[in-house]
Amino acid sequence: RAGAAPARGPRQLSVRTSEVTEIRWLEAFVAVAEELHFGRAALRLHTSQSPLSQTIRKLESDLGTRLFERNTRSVALTPAGHALLPRAYRVLQEMRLAREAAQTEVAGIRGKIRIGFSGAVNHLTLPPLTRAVRRLYPDIELDLTSRVRTADGLASVANGTLDLAFVGFPESPVPSVTARLVAREEIGAVLPLDHPLARETSIPLQSLAGDDFISPPMDGSSAMTEVLLASCMAAGFRPRVVQELSDPYMVLTFVAAGVGVTLMSSGIAGIIPSGATYVALEDPQHYMNHAIAWSTENDSAVLAAVLAVVEEIFPNPLG
């Protein structure tokens, strides 16, 4: 028996090394699957393209199937790749939670919280949360991702790539995702300063029916776009959108440049660039419902701590 002990050690080390290798393979696979570009994925993983390609080939060899169709111009997931992706997300999430749980057991609440937000429209909701978390939990690392539209944010918290996302309150339930209302703001018009109605205190929305509009993407991913369309349709017209932009502040900038007008929640009135102005709309009023979303399947202690902060600093805007 005395001679058997040394043999157990190397076998256990081999298993641990194999598990670490497989985790790194999955991290490489997820990076390429999300970027669909080996060069960008390599930059994201702080490596070079050749070792990354070798890692993907090793994973494919181990699984006995191709995960990507690739040529000199494009990279695409194969059916096997599509099938593996949600499972890879789950494995990486479990590893992160296991690491976080071990650290928390030793040193209290510590770890990383990954928060997605849109941009300018969250300037009144994101900072209060991040400041409060930094004050109450200095050992929690904040990982912030901007330009996250509502559809992307809901999908990312569902698959575990984000812990929290600031989104427009979803009209329909999303499996495994909970959303909490954190703010409710009136919708108003943002006009160039030389617009004929720019000096009015309020205007009927119908008065903008003949204007060109700047909008967030019209592909269904943005809650602000949905509010803009619904408001205009209720006023009896469909807006003539001449430019779509994913960054909310760039929408405001294009309005300031005189390219068109837009609708935006009232909270942005204080950060509008020079060259544009915010004008309230007459009744009937429309609203943007700002929410924060997370997965009910995410049992992270860090997430639970941050959600407690959310409850403390964001009273229900509907009372």
Side-chain angles (χ1 to χ4, degrees), residues 126-143:
L126 177 67
L129 177 61
T130 54
R131 286 199 301 268
V133 171
R134 284 188 181 280
R135 183 180 71 255
L136 296 170
Y137 299 103
D139 290 328
I140 291 181
E141 177 187 351
L142 296 169
D143 183 352

Side-chain angles (χ1 to χ4, degrees), residues 23-35 37-49 51-53 55-56 92:
I23 292 298
R24 289 175 177 166
W25 286 356
L26 289 179
E27 289 172 341
F29 164 70
V30 166
V32 177
E34 291 183 342
E35 300 290 345
H37 189 283
F38 275 81
R40 289 195 298 269
L43 286 173
R44 172 172 155 181
L45 295 171
H46 307 292
T47 185
S48 57
Q49 193 166 331
L52 177 59
S53 297
T55 297
I56 295 299
L92 295 178

Side-chain angles (χ1 to χ4, degrees), residues 1-262:
R1 282 201 295 266
R8 286 199 298 271
R11 280 200 297 270
Q12 290 172 351
L13 178 60
S14 174
V15 170
R16 289 197 296 270
T17 302
S18 173
E19 289 172 347
V20 169
T21 298
E22 290 171 356
I23 292 298
R24 289 175 177 166
W25 286 356
L26 289 179
E27 289 172 341
F29 164 70
V30 166
V32 177
E34 291 183 342
E35 300 290 345
L36 293 179
H37 189 283
F38 275 81
R40 289 195 298 269
L43 286 173
R44 172 172 155 181
L45 295 171
H46 307 292
T47 185
S48 57
Q49 193 166 331
S50 179
L52 177 59
S53 297
Q54 292 174 16
T55 297
I56 295 299
R57 283 196 292 270
K58 289 176 183 176
L59 177 58
E60 290 176 327
S61 176
D62 186 71
L63 295 175
T65 186
R66 290 174 63 85
L67 299 173
F68 297 99
E69 295 291 350
R70 45 199 183 270
N71 55 43
T72 56
R73 294 186 177 181
S74 65
V75 177
L77 283 166
T78 64
H82 279 290
L84 177 61
L85 186 57
R87 292 167 174 81
Y89 281 139
R90 197 170 301 122
V91 170
L92 295 178
Q93 173 77 346
E94 287 300 321
M95 285 298 298
R96 191 177 75 87
L97 292 176
R99 187 180 301 113
E100 176 190 298
Q103 293 172 340
T104 299
E105 185 67 24
V106 174
I109 301 297
R110 65 185 305 160
K112 179 186 292 187
I113 186 82
R114 300 162 302 172
I115 303 175
F117 66 102
S118 175
V121 295
N122 299 124
H123 83 281
L124 295 179
T125 49
L126 177 67
L129 177 61
T130 54
R131 286 199 301 268
V133 171
R134 284 188 181 280
R135 183 180 71 255
L136 296 170
Y137 299 103
D139 290 328
I140 291 181
E141 177 187 351
L142 296 169
D143 183 352
L144 305 180
T145 301
S146 62
R147 299 186 183 182
V148 175
R149 300 191 293 274
T150 292
D152 299 329
L154 294 172
S156 294
V157 296
N159 66 34
T161 54
L162 287 176
D163 299 302
L164 285 174
F166 283 91
V167 297
F169 194 87
E171 296 296 327
S172 303
V174 179
S176 80
V177 173
T178 293
R180 183 194 185 283
L181 195 64
V182 294
R184 191 169 191 251
E185 296 178 339
E186 294 182 352
I187 297 299
V190 182
L191 310 176
L193 285 179
D194 60 358
H195 192 282
L197 301 175
R199 294 183 180 276
E200 300 293 328
T201 55
S202 66
I203 59 173
L205 181 51
Q206 295 95 321
S207 64
L208 301 179
D211 282 84
D212 293 335
F213 274 74
I214 315 299
S215 171
M218 304 280 287
D219 57 6
S221 63
S222 168
M224 189 63 242
T225 303
E226 297 302 310
V227 172
L228 183 152
L229 291 173
S231 299
C232 291
M233 296 296 282
F237 71 97
R238 183 174 183 85
R240 183 172 63 246
V241 175
V242 297
Q243 183 77 53
E244 299 176 35
L245 297 163
S246 59
D247 184 340
Y249 198 77
M250 287 305 298
V251 172
L252 300 175
T253 302
F254 271 53
V255 173
V259 178
V261 304
T262 195

